[in-house]
Amino acid sequence: MLKAVADRIIVKLDETAQSALIMPNVEFNTRNSGVVLSVGEKVTLVNPGDHVVFHLFDELPLPDEGVVVIREKSLLGVYAE
């Protein structure tokens, strides 16, 4: 398994979006929430298993479909248990 380093977080994207913004004539097939798989040693806000929302377009997709790498500063929130 890939391990995150420094301030990076590896997130498995949700299968379906929690909410949607409807914009005419614009197609979006993006997801900005998911479950944390791995955190780097400098990450303090989340732990593996947390469900997070992050800033759209700040992610780096990995070859494994549905998995992205983000920086901790891209986090917008953590879902309460």
Side-chain angles (χ1 to χ4, degrees):
M1 183 174 137
L2 185 62
K3 169 122 176 59
V5 296
D7 66 338
R8 307 296 197 297
I9 302 169
I10 298 175
V11 178
K12 175 154 179 51
L13 298 173
D14 286 338
E15 292 297 322
T16 58
Q18 295 282 337
S19 62
L21 174 64
I22 299 172
M23 299 175 65
N25 300 325
V26 177
E27 288 187 35
F28 281 100
N29 188 18
T30 57
R31 298 168 283 177
N32 69 331
S33 64
V35 177
V36 175
L37 297 178
S38 177
V39 297
E41 61 275 2
K42 293 183 180 180
V43 174
T44 60
L45 298 175
V46 296
N47 295 306
D50 288 348
H51 193 177
V52 298
V53 177
F54 54 90
H55 188 269
L56 197 58
F57 305 119
D58 273 356
E59 76 277 3
L60 172 67
L62 295 175
D64 182 8
E65 187 170 327
V67 178
V68 296
V69 176
I70 61 170
R71 289 183 181 266
E72 185 176 30
K73 68 181 182 180
S74 296
L75 288 175
L76 298 175
V78 180
Y79 286 100
E81 296 287 328

